Structure formats: structure tokens, C-alpha cells
Amino acid sequence: MSTATPVQGLAILGSTGSIGGSTLDVVARHPDRFRVVALTAHDKWQRLLEQCLAFRPDYAVLVEPAAAARLREALAGTGIRVLEGSAALLEVAALPEAPLVMAAIVGAAGLGSTLAAVRAGKRVLLANKESLVMAGPLVLDEVARSGALLLPVDSEHNAIFQCLPPTVSGQVAPGVRRVLLTASGGPFLRRSAAQMADVTPDEACAHPRWVMGRKISVDSATLMNKGLELIEAQLLFGLTTGQVEVVVHPESIVHSLVEYVDGSVLAQLGNPDMRVPIAHALAWPSRIESGVESLDLVRRGSLGFEAPDLERFPCLGLALRAAAAGGSAPAVLNAANEVAVDAFLGGRLNFTGIARVIEDVLDRQPVVAVRALDDVLEADREARALARSALRGVTG
Ligand code: NAD
Ligand code: MG
């Protein structure tokens, strides 16, 4: 009897990004195991062209029509179909020939395609945490309905997943007392609030441990990333806000921990390289090579842990507030953060203004119950409008 694993089709949504590139790096090591069926990006057609020539997918999607036209011309005669527009993202997320979907679009723009993959009953490798923060209960309902499998790619959630016994997404594992979510602390861990006021986007994006896209890099610098991850952890593992504790661990070697009622604490460790959780999610429950070197604990020396400082990093407190409020509040938090981060990256808001814009929006927008996707989208729209008006009032 053959024990060979059949080749599995994979769609990578957001293939030109940091997670997309790391996914292709792992996939390239296992041509006998994975076949790339679709690659998607927003507008970087030259990068997508290189990826298409290397991986020969059946479909390539660019949201921007003008960029799609350039790619179509460059790929003429290859047999690769080039699609355009956001609707094409939903189409390739649901292709039956791709049972694996890597959801690695950044921000709220990833919600539709993540949901489409879930509804199609896929094994969804979830990097796009914003979709879960915005519409968590709805996404989990769809997972239960369709039989999809959500495998967390975010390194902390992948670590927690590895430390828990097998359960269905959103359900509580027996005997868990709490989860310790580790945070590197970002590039400004040792800066005072005054020193943070005039940092530049490039400084904020120079993360000491991880190379990531610019939006998540800024989120890591404000600690909003940890706040979004706290909400993500609650949803994925059926935990209360009080059961998730954030611990700053600057070395980023321990990716998170689970404490059980008997006092046992299980942790997942590894070098800080996203190929580890990506390879884990791609092959689960098997294990495959990721290309990441062995962890040398002796060379690392000591590992440090400390409490987060909510005064210097108010975004984490704002996320806790939204998590406790529930309903539309996490979607509002996420939308206001996206607008504020975009303004910071565009030079229209200073770094410490990010938290002020988000707080202003949370103060002004009433929390409503979320029963359907339209409720989420409406809350998102309203929060973006409020954030834009707050931007005009916040000089930083
Ligand atoms: P990135 O900015 O490097 O890449 C984003 C990808 O999304 C690109 O392929 C881009 O073309 C695509 N995209 C952007 N806007 C789009 C739109 N409007 N429509 C369609 N596609 C669009 O981002 P990243 O760092 O790879 O992060 C991707 C996601 O993974 C984020 O949700 C992030 O929070 C999460 N994540 C990233 C890391 C990391 O190490 N980079 C770690 C954990 C979680
Ligand atoms: Mg993370």
C-alpha cells in the first residue's frame, strides 16, 4: 500500500505579501505535496508575474484592472488565466481544485475572500486576523455550517493551537486555565511616550524580530497587533477576555503558552520565522520541512518576560475595551485602526495620534449587536467615516 500523500491544490490570497512569499518558499520545497492553483495580489503585477512563471498556477488575480491587463499581456500563451477585480478573489477562494486556501490579504479587504473559502468548506490557513476580529462569530458560524477547517497561521495562535488538544474552532479545550499570548514589544519597547511622538513610518516598520508588511509592522509598534490577536485568540479557542494574558517577550522565541488547571504550562518555541507556522498549517496533522534552521537555545542565552505597559501603548488597552464591549466594537476598532495606520504611513498623522483617533471613534460610535455580515460592514463604514473626521481634529 502506498503511503504517499496526494498532491493538494493551494490558492494563495495575497501571494505578493510577506506571508504570501513565505508560503511560496515552503511550497517550493514540496513540489510532490502541493500544487499552486491560484495566486492573487492587489496591483503588483511584476511580482505576481515572477511568481506565476515560477509556480505556473491555473489562475492569477489582480484586483486592479490596469495591472491585470499588463499581467495578461505578459502571460499570453502560458495558459494561465488572469482575472481582475475583487469578485475574482471570491471565485478563486472557492475553486474546488484548491482545497487549501492561504488567507494572507492584509486588513478588512481580506474578509470577503476568507468567508468565501470558509463557505466552500476549505482548509483555511488564516493569516488575515482582521477578518476574524471584524466578523468572528459569523465566520465561526460559517465554519460550523460548511465543515471548513480554520488553521491559525499567526505565530502565537499557531503556537496555542499546537499546545491544545484537538478541538473544533471556537470550542473550549478541557482543563485550560488561561493562555499567555507573547508579544515582542515592537521597535519602541524601550522608548518613552514623548520619544514615540515623532517616529517615522520607516522606524515603526523596522521590527527587531520579524520582517512583515507595513500595516502589521505599525500594529506591532503600537501593540494594536497584540490587541487584535487577543480578540483572535478568544474567538479561535473559545476563551474569555480574562483568560488571555499578554506577556512581553522581546526575543520572540516562545510563541505563546497554554496553562492548564493542574498548573502545567505548555509552550511552543522556535526561531522567529513565519515559515514555521505556515509549514505547520500546510501539512497539519503531518510535519514537513520549513527551511528554518534549528533553534540554538544555548546561543540565544536567556529569555526575558515582562508585563506590557498600557500607558505607553494605549492601543492595547483600546483593544481590551473593544473585546469587553463585544458586538460591533471589534469591527469598529479594526476599521479606525486601519484608517489611522494608513494616515500614519502616509505622513498625515503622527505615531501617538493613532491611539487618539481610535479612542475618539470608540467613544463616538455606539456598540450594536452583530447578527449578519451587513451589520459588520455598516459598522466598518461608519467607523472609517468617523476616523477620517477624527483625523482632521487630531494633529498628533
Ligand atoms: P503585506 O502587506 O506584505 O501583503 C499583503 C497582501 O495583500 C499583498 O499580496 C497585497 O497585494 C494584498 N492586498 C493588499 N490590499 C489588498 C486589497 N485591497 N485587495 C486584495 N488584495 C490586497 O502583508 P503581510 O505582512 O503578508 O500580512 C498579511 C496578513 O497576515 C495580515 O492580515 C497580517 O496581520 C497577517 N500576519 C502577517 C504576519 C507577518 O509576519 N507578515 C504574521 C502574522 C499575521
Ligand atoms: Mg502574531
Side-chain angles (χ1 to χ4, degrees), residues 341-395:
V341 170
D342 190 57
F344 169 68
L345 286 172
R348 289 171 279 119
L349 180 69
N350 79 3
F351 185 75
T352 40
I354 295 173
R356 265 182 272 168
V357 167
I358 301 165
E359 183 168 22
D360 191 65
V361 175
L362 284 177
D363 285 347
R364 283 159 66 191
Q365 188 165 337
V367 178
V368 297
V370 166
R371 292 192 190 85
L373 191 59
D374 277 348
D375 300 328
V376 174
L377 299 177
E378 179 54 33
D380 176 272
R381 258 193 306 273
E382 193 181 334
R384 282 172 200 271
L386 285 173
R388 278 185 217 105
S389 83
L391 274 179
R392 290 189 281 273
V394 174
T395 51

Short mmCIF file of all heavy atoms in Angstrom, two decimals, residues 341-395:
data_model
loop_
_atom_site.label_atom_id
_atom_site.label_comp_id
_atom_site.label_asym_id
_atom_site.label_seq_id
_atom_site.Cartn_x
_atom_site.Cartn_y
_atom_site.Cartn_z
N VAL A 341 -3.65 53.98 10.78
CA VAL A 341 -2.34 53.46 10.35
C VAL A 341 -2.02 53.94 8.94
O VAL A 341 -0.89 54.33 8.64
CB VAL A 341 -2.30 51.91 10.44
CG1 VAL A 341 -1.04 51.36 9.78
CG2 VAL A 341 -2.37 51.46 11.90
N ASP A 342 -3.03 53.93 8.10
CA ASP A 342 -2.84 54.40 6.73
C ASP A 342 -2.41 55.88 6.73
O ASP A 342 -1.51 56.27 5.99
CB ASP A 342 -4.17 54.20 5.97
CG ASP A 342 -3.99 54.43 4.49
OD1 ASP A 342 -3.14 53.76 3.89
OD2 ASP A 342 -4.69 55.32 3.95
N ALA A 343 -3.05 56.66 7.60
CA ALA A 343 -2.71 58.09 7.70
C ALA A 343 -1.28 58.25 8.23
O ALA A 343 -0.51 59.09 7.74
CB ALA A 343 -3.69 58.81 8.60
N PHE A 344 -0.90 57.42 9.19
CA PHE A 344 0.47 57.49 9.73
C PHE A 344 1.48 57.12 8.62
O PHE A 344 2.47 57.84 8.42
CB PHE A 344 0.62 56.55 10.94
CG PHE A 344 2.05 56.36 11.36
CD1 PHE A 344 2.77 57.41 11.91
CD2 PHE A 344 2.68 55.13 11.19
CE1 PHE A 344 4.11 57.24 12.28
CE2 PHE A 344 4.00 54.95 11.56
CZ PHE A 344 4.72 56.01 12.11
N LEU A 345 1.20 56.04 7.91
CA LEU A 345 2.13 55.61 6.85
C LEU A 345 2.21 56.65 5.74
O LEU A 345 3.23 56.78 5.07
CB LEU A 345 1.71 54.24 6.29
CG LEU A 345 1.99 53.04 7.19
CD1 LEU A 345 1.36 51.77 6.62
CD2 LEU A 345 3.50 52.83 7.38
N GLY A 346 1.11 57.40 5.56
CA GLY A 346 1.08 58.43 4.52
C GLY A 346 1.59 59.79 5.00
O GLY A 346 1.50 60.77 4.26
N GLY A 347 2.06 59.85 6.24
CA GLY A 347 2.62 61.11 6.75
C GLY A 347 1.58 62.12 7.17
O GLY A 347 1.87 63.31 7.34
N ARG A 348 0.31 61.68 7.34
CA ARG A 348 -0.76 62.62 7.71
C ARG A 348 -1.12 62.57 9.19
O ARG A 348 -2.01 63.27 9.64
CB ARG A 348 -2.01 62.32 6.86
CG ARG A 348 -1.85 62.70 5.39
CD ARG A 348 -3.00 62.19 4.53
NE ARG A 348 -2.83 60.78 4.19
CZ ARG A 348 -3.66 59.82 4.52
NH1 ARG A 348 -4.74 60.09 5.22
NH2 ARG A 348 -3.42 58.57 4.15
N LEU A 349 -0.45 61.72 9.95
CA LEU A 349 -0.75 61.57 11.38
C LEU A 349 0.52 61.13 12.07
O LEU A 349 1.27 60.31 11.51
CB LEU A 349 -1.84 60.49 11.55
CG LEU A 349 -2.31 60.16 12.98
CD1 LEU A 349 -3.09 61.34 13.56
CD2 LEU A 349 -3.19 58.91 12.98
N ASN A 350 0.78 61.64 13.26
CA ASN A 350 1.97 61.14 13.92
C ASN A 350 1.66 59.86 14.69
O ASN A 350 0.49 59.49 14.86
CB ASN A 350 2.69 62.22 14.74
CG ASN A 350 2.03 62.49 16.07
OD1 ASN A 350 1.06 61.83 16.43
ND2 ASN A 350 2.57 63.44 16.78
N PHE A 351 2.70 59.19 15.14
CA PHE A 351 2.55 57.83 15.69
C PHE A 351 1.61 57.79 16.88
O PHE A 351 0.71 56.94 16.96
CB PHE A 351 3.94 57.31 16.08
CG PHE A 351 3.95 55.90 16.56
CD1 PHE A 351 3.83 54.85 15.65
CD2 PHE A 351 4.08 55.60 17.90
CE1 PHE A 351 3.83 53.54 16.09
CE2 PHE A 351 4.09 54.29 18.36
CZ PHE A 351 3.96 53.25 17.44
N THR A 352 1.77 58.74 17.83
CA THR A 352 0.93 58.71 19.02
C THR A 352 -0.51 59.15 18.71
O THR A 352 -1.42 58.91 19.51
CB THR A 352 1.54 59.58 20.14
OG1 THR A 352 2.06 60.78 19.56
CG2 THR A 352 2.66 58.86 20.84
N GLY A 353 -0.70 59.76 17.55
CA GLY A 353 -2.06 60.13 17.13
C GLY A 353 -2.91 58.91 16.78
O GLY A 353 -4.14 58.98 16.79
N ILE A 354 -2.27 57.78 16.46
CA ILE A 354 -3.03 56.58 16.05
C ILE A 354 -4.02 56.20 17.16
O ILE A 354 -5.22 56.03 16.90
CB ILE A 354 -2.06 55.41 15.73
CG1 ILE A 354 -1.19 55.74 14.51
CG2 ILE A 354 -2.86 54.11 15.49
CD1 ILE A 354 -0.09 54.71 14.21
N ALA A 355 -3.52 56.10 18.38
CA ALA A 355 -4.39 55.70 19.50
C ALA A 355 -5.48 56.74 19.73
O ALA A 355 -6.62 56.40 20.05
CB ALA A 355 -3.56 55.51 20.77
N ARG A 356 -5.12 58.02 19.54
CA ARG A 356 -6.11 59.08 19.80
C ARG A 356 -7.28 59.00 18.81
O ARG A 356 -8.43 59.20 19.18
CB ARG A 356 -5.45 60.45 19.75
CG ARG A 356 -5.07 60.88 21.17
CD ARG A 356 -4.47 62.24 21.18
NE ARG A 356 -3.04 62.10 20.97
CZ ARG A 356 -2.23 63.11 20.69
NH1 ARG A 356 -2.72 64.32 20.54
NH2 ARG A 356 -0.95 62.90 20.56
N VAL A 357 -6.97 58.73 17.56
CA VAL A 357 -8.03 58.60 16.55
C VAL A 357 -8.94 57.42 16.90
O VAL A 357 -10.18 57.52 16.89
CB VAL A 357 -7.42 58.41 15.13
CG1 VAL A 357 -8.48 57.96 14.13
CG2 VAL A 357 -6.76 59.70 14.67
N ILE A 358 -8.34 56.29 17.26
CA ILE A 358 -9.14 55.10 17.57
C ILE A 358 -10.02 55.33 18.79
O ILE A 358 -11.21 54.99 18.80
CB ILE A 358 -8.21 53.87 17.78
CG1 ILE A 358 -7.38 53.61 16.53
CG2 ILE A 358 -9.04 52.63 18.14
CD1 ILE A 358 -6.20 52.69 16.76
N GLU A 359 -9.44 55.95 19.80
CA GLU A 359 -10.21 56.21 21.02
C GLU A 359 -11.40 57.13 20.72
O GLU A 359 -12.52 56.89 21.19
CB GLU A 359 -9.32 56.84 22.09
CG GLU A 359 -10.06 57.05 23.40
CD GLU A 359 -9.14 57.40 24.56
OE1 GLU A 359 -8.01 57.87 24.32
OE2 GLU A 359 -9.57 57.18 25.71
N ASP A 360 -11.14 58.13 19.91
CA ASP A 360 -12.21 59.07 19.55
C ASP A 360 -13.36 58.32 18.85
O ASP A 360 -14.53 58.54 19.15
CB ASP A 360 -11.60 60.13 18.61
CG ASP A 360 -12.54 61.28 18.38
OD1 ASP A 360 -12.83 61.98 19.36
OD2 ASP A 360 -13.02 61.45 17.25
N VAL A 361 -13.02 57.42 17.95
CA VAL A 361 -14.06 56.67 17.23
C VAL A 361 -14.81 55.74 18.19
O VAL A 361 -16.04 55.67 18.16
CB VAL A 361 -13.45 55.88 16.05
CG1 VAL A 361 -14.51 55.01 15.37
CG2 VAL A 361 -12.81 56.83 15.04
N LEU A 362 -14.08 55.05 19.07
CA LEU A 362 -14.74 54.14 20.03
C LEU A 362 -15.67 54.94 20.95
O LEU A 362 -16.74 54.46 21.33
CB LEU A 362 -13.70 53.39 20.87
CG LEU A 362 -12.97 52.23 20.19
CD1 LEU A 362 -11.93 51.64 21.13
CD2 LEU A 362 -13.91 51.13 19.70
N ASP A 363 -15.26 56.17 21.31
CA ASP A 363 -16.10 57.00 22.17
C ASP A 363 -17.39 57.42 21.46
O ASP A 363 -18.44 57.54 22.09
CB ASP A 363 -15.36 58.29 22.58
CG ASP A 363 -14.29 58.03 23.62
OD1 ASP A 363 -14.28 56.93 24.21
OD2 ASP A 363 -13.44 58.92 23.83
N ARG A 364 -17.27 57.65 20.14
CA ARG A 364 -18.41 58.25 19.43
C ARG A 364 -19.36 57.23 18.81
O ARG A 364 -20.53 57.54 18.58
CB ARG A 364 -17.89 59.21 18.35
CG ARG A 364 -17.42 60.54 18.95
CD ARG A 364 -16.48 61.28 18.06
NE ARG A 364 -17.09 61.73 16.83
CZ ARG A 364 -16.42 62.22 15.80
NH1 ARG A 364 -15.10 62.32 15.86
NH2 ARG A 364 -17.03 62.61 14.72
N GLN A 365 -18.87 56.05 18.50
CA GLN A 365 -19.74 55.11 17.78
C GLN A 365 -20.40 54.12 18.74
O GLN A 365 -19.70 53.33 19.40
CB GLN A 365 -18.93 54.35 16.71
CG GLN A 365 -19.80 53.52 15.80
CD GLN A 365 -19.07 53.08 14.54
OE1 GLN A 365 -18.09 53.69 14.12
NE2 GLN A 365 -19.54 52.00 13.93
N PRO A 366 -21.74 54.11 18.81
CA PRO A 366 -22.40 53.18 19.73
C PRO A 366 -22.16 51.72 19.31
O PRO A 366 -22.05 51.42 18.12
CB PRO A 366 -23.89 53.52 19.59
CG PRO A 366 -23.97 54.76 18.76
CD PRO A 366 -22.68 54.92 18.05
N VAL A 367 -22.07 50.85 20.31
CA VAL A 367 -21.88 49.42 20.03
C VAL A 367 -23.25 48.82 19.68
O VAL A 367 -24.22 49.04 20.39
CB VAL A 367 -21.30 48.70 21.27
CG1 VAL A 367 -21.15 47.20 21.02
CG2 VAL A 367 -19.97 49.32 21.67
N VAL A 368 -23.30 48.09 18.57
CA VAL A 368 -24.56 47.42 18.22
C VAL A 368 -24.30 45.91 18.10
O VAL A 368 -23.16 45.47 17.96
CB VAL A 368 -25.15 47.95 16.88
CG1 VAL A 368 -25.50 49.42 16.99
CG2 VAL A 368 -24.20 47.71 15.71
N ALA A 369 -25.39 45.14 18.17
CA ALA A 369 -25.26 43.69 18.03
C ALA A 369 -24.92 43.35 16.58
O ALA A 369 -25.29 44.09 15.67
CB ALA A 369 -26.56 43.01 18.43
N VAL A 370 -24.18 42.26 16.39
CA VAL A 370 -23.82 41.83 15.04
C VAL A 370 -24.55 40.53 14.74
O VAL A 370 -24.25 39.49 15.32
CB VAL A 370 -22.29 41.65 14.94
CG1 VAL A 370 -21.92 40.91 13.69
CG2 VAL A 370 -21.58 43.00 14.98
N ARG A 371 -25.55 40.62 13.85
CA ARG A 371 -26.32 39.41 13.53
C ARG A 371 -26.02 38.91 12.12
O ARG A 371 -26.18 37.75 11.82
CB ARG A 371 -27.82 39.69 13.65
CG ARG A 371 -28.23 39.94 15.07
CD ARG A 371 -29.73 39.93 15.28
NE ARG A 371 -30.01 40.41 16.63
CZ ARG A 371 -30.11 41.69 16.97
NH1 ARG A 371 -29.98 42.62 16.06
NH2 ARG A 371 -30.35 42.03 18.21
N ALA A 372 -25.61 39.84 11.26
CA ALA A 372 -25.35 39.47 9.87
C ALA A 372 -24.15 40.28 9.36
O ALA A 372 -23.77 41.28 9.97
CB ALA A 372 -26.58 39.76 9.02
N LEU A 373 -23.64 39.84 8.22
CA LEU A 373 -22.47 40.50 7.65
C LEU A 373 -22.71 41.99 7.40
O LEU A 373 -21.81 42.81 7.59
CB LEU A 373 -22.09 39.78 6.35
CG LEU A 373 -20.74 40.17 5.76
CD1 LEU A 373 -19.61 39.91 6.73
CD2 LEU A 373 -20.51 39.41 4.45
N ASP A 374 -23.94 42.32 7.02
CA ASP A 374 -24.26 43.74 6.77
C ASP A 374 -24.04 44.60 8.01
O ASP A 374 -23.64 45.76 7.89
CB ASP A 374 -25.71 43.88 6.29
CG ASP A 374 -25.82 43.62 4.79
OD1 ASP A 374 -24.75 43.55 4.14
OD2 ASP A 374 -26.95 43.46 4.30
N ASP A 375 -24.32 44.04 9.19
CA ASP A 375 -24.10 44.80 10.43
C ASP A 375 -22.61 45.13 10.58
O ASP A 375 -22.24 46.22 11.01
CB ASP A 375 -24.54 43.99 11.67
CG ASP A 375 -26.01 43.63 11.62
OD1 ASP A 375 -26.80 44.41 11.06
OD2 ASP A 375 -26.38 42.55 12.15
N VAL A 376 -21.76 44.16 10.23
CA VAL A 376 -20.31 44.36 10.33
C VAL A 376 -19.86 45.41 9.31
O VAL A 376 -19.10 46.33 9.65
CB VAL A 376 -19.57 43.02 10.05
CG1 VAL A 376 -18.07 43.25 9.99
CG2 VAL A 376 -19.92 41.99 11.10
N LEU A 377 -20.35 45.27 8.09
CA LEU A 377 -19.91 46.18 7.03
C LEU A 377 -20.38 47.61 7.33
O LEU A 377 -19.66 48.58 7.06
CB LEU A 377 -20.42 45.70 5.67
CG LEU A 377 -19.89 44.30 5.28
CD1 LEU A 377 -20.48 43.85 3.95
CD2 LEU A 377 -18.35 44.27 5.21
N GLU A 378 -21.59 47.73 7.89
CA GLU A 378 -22.11 49.05 8.25
C GLU A 378 -21.26 49.68 9.37
O GLU A 378 -20.89 50.86 9.31
CB GLU A 378 -23.58 48.90 8.69
CG GLU A 378 -24.27 50.17 9.12
CD GLU A 378 -24.20 51.29 8.08
OE1 GLU A 378 -24.21 50.96 6.87
OE2 GLU A 378 -24.10 52.47 8.49
N ALA A 379 -20.92 48.86 10.39
CA ALA A 379 -20.09 49.36 11.49
C ALA A 379 -18.71 49.79 10.96
O ALA A 379 -18.16 50.81 11.36
CB ALA A 379 -19.93 48.29 12.57
N ASP A 380 -18.18 49.00 10.03
CA ASP A 380 -16.87 49.29 9.43
C ASP A 380 -16.93 50.63 8.67
O ASP A 380 -16.05 51.48 8.83
CB ASP A 380 -16.50 48.12 8.50
CG ASP A 380 -15.21 48.36 7.74
OD1 ASP A 380 -15.26 48.96 6.63
OD2 ASP A 380 -14.14 47.96 8.23
N ARG A 381 -17.98 50.80 7.86
CA ARG A 381 -18.13 52.04 7.08
C ARG A 381 -18.23 53.26 7.99
O ARG A 381 -17.56 54.27 7.78
CB ARG A 381 -19.41 51.96 6.24
CG ARG A 381 -19.18 51.63 4.76
CD ARG A 381 -20.43 51.87 3.92
NE ARG A 381 -21.61 51.18 4.41
CZ ARG A 381 -21.95 49.94 4.08
NH1 ARG A 381 -21.20 49.25 3.25
NH2 ARG A 381 -23.04 49.38 4.56
N GLU A 382 -19.09 53.14 9.00
CA GLU A 382 -19.31 54.27 9.91
C GLU A 382 -18.00 54.62 10.65
O GLU A 382 -17.65 55.79 10.80
CB GLU A 382 -20.42 53.91 10.90
CG GLU A 382 -20.95 55.10 11.67
CD GLU A 382 -22.04 54.69 12.67
OE1 GLU A 382 -22.71 53.65 12.46
OE2 GLU A 382 -22.19 55.41 13.68
N ALA A 383 -17.29 53.59 11.11
CA ALA A 383 -16.05 53.84 11.85
C ALA A 383 -15.01 54.51 10.97
O ALA A 383 -14.27 55.39 11.43
CB ALA A 383 -15.50 52.51 12.39
N ARG A 384 -14.96 54.11 9.70
CA ARG A 384 -13.99 54.75 8.79
C ARG A 384 -14.33 56.23 8.60
O ARG A 384 -13.43 57.08 8.58
CB ARG A 384 -13.96 54.02 7.44
CG ARG A 384 -13.17 52.74 7.52
CD ARG A 384 -13.27 51.87 6.26
NE ARG A 384 -12.90 50.52 6.64
CZ ARG A 384 -11.66 50.03 6.60
NH1 ARG A 384 -10.69 50.77 6.11
NH2 ARG A 384 -11.39 48.82 7.01
N ALA A 385 -15.62 56.53 8.47
CA ALA A 385 -16.02 57.93 8.29
C ALA A 385 -15.68 58.73 9.55
O ALA A 385 -15.13 59.84 9.47
CB ALA A 385 -17.52 58.00 7.99
N LEU A 386 -15.97 58.16 10.71
CA LEU A 386 -15.65 58.86 11.97
C LEU A 386 -14.14 59.03 12.12
O LEU A 386 -13.66 60.07 12.58
CB LEU A 386 -16.20 58.07 13.17
CG LEU A 386 -17.71 58.15 13.41
CD1 LEU A 386 -18.11 57.19 14.53
CD2 LEU A 386 -18.12 59.57 13.77
N ALA A 387 -13.39 58.02 11.75
CA ALA A 387 -11.93 58.11 11.88
C ALA A 387 -11.38 59.20 10.97
O ALA A 387 -10.49 59.96 11.36
CB ALA A 387 -11.29 56.76 11.54
N ARG A 388 -11.94 59.30 9.76
CA ARG A 388 -11.47 60.35 8.84
C ARG A 388 -11.77 61.73 9.41
O ARG A 388 -10.96 62.64 9.31
CB ARG A 388 -12.10 60.17 7.45
CG ARG A 388 -11.34 59.14 6.65
CD ARG A 388 -11.84 59.02 5.22
NE ARG A 388 -11.76 57.61 4.84
CZ ARG A 388 -12.80 56.79 4.75
NH1 ARG A 388 -14.01 57.23 4.93
NH2 ARG A 388 -12.61 55.51 4.44
N SER A 389 -12.94 61.86 10.05
CA SER A 389 -13.25 63.18 10.63
C SER A 389 -12.37 63.41 11.86
O SER A 389 -11.93 64.53 12.12
CB SER A 389 -14.75 63.34 10.91
OG SER A 389 -15.09 62.78 12.13
N ALA A 390 -12.08 62.34 12.62
CA ALA A 390 -11.18 62.49 13.78
C ALA A 390 -9.78 62.91 13.33
O ALA A 390 -9.12 63.69 14.00
CB ALA A 390 -11.11 61.19 14.57
N LEU A 391 -9.36 62.41 12.18
CA LEU A 391 -8.03 62.75 11.65
C LEU A 391 -7.89 64.25 11.46
O LEU A 391 -6.82 64.82 11.69
CB LEU A 391 -7.83 62.10 10.28
CG LEU A 391 -7.32 60.67 10.23
CD1 LEU A 391 -7.23 60.22 8.78
CD2 LEU A 391 -5.95 60.58 10.89
N ARG A 392 -9.00 64.86 11.03
CA ARG A 392 -8.95 66.30 10.79
C ARG A 392 -8.76 67.06 12.11
O ARG A 392 -8.17 68.12 12.14
CB ARG A 392 -10.22 66.77 10.07
CG ARG A 392 -10.27 66.28 8.62
CD ARG A 392 -11.41 66.92 7.84
NE ARG A 392 -12.70 66.33 8.13
CZ ARG A 392 -13.18 65.26 7.49
NH1 ARG A 392 -12.48 64.67 6.54
NH2 ARG A 392 -14.36 64.78 7.80
N GLY A 393 -9.26 66.46 13.23
CA GLY A 393 -9.14 67.12 14.53
C GLY A 393 -7.86 66.80 15.29
O GLY A 393 -7.47 67.55 16.16
N VAL A 394 -7.24 65.66 14.96
CA VAL A 394 -6.05 65.23 15.70
C VAL A 394 -4.81 65.70 14.94
O VAL A 394 -4.56 65.28 13.82
CB VAL A 394 -6.01 63.69 15.84
CG1 VAL A 394 -4.69 63.24 16.47
CG2 VAL A 394 -7.16 63.21 16.69
N THR A 395 -4.06 66.55 15.57
CA THR A 395 -2.84 66.99 14.89
C THR A 395 -1.66 66.13 15.33
O THR A 395 -0.58 66.23 14.80
CB THR A 395 -2.54 68.45 15.20
OG1 THR A 395 -2.59 68.63 16.61
CG2 THR A 395 -3.51 69.38 14.52
#
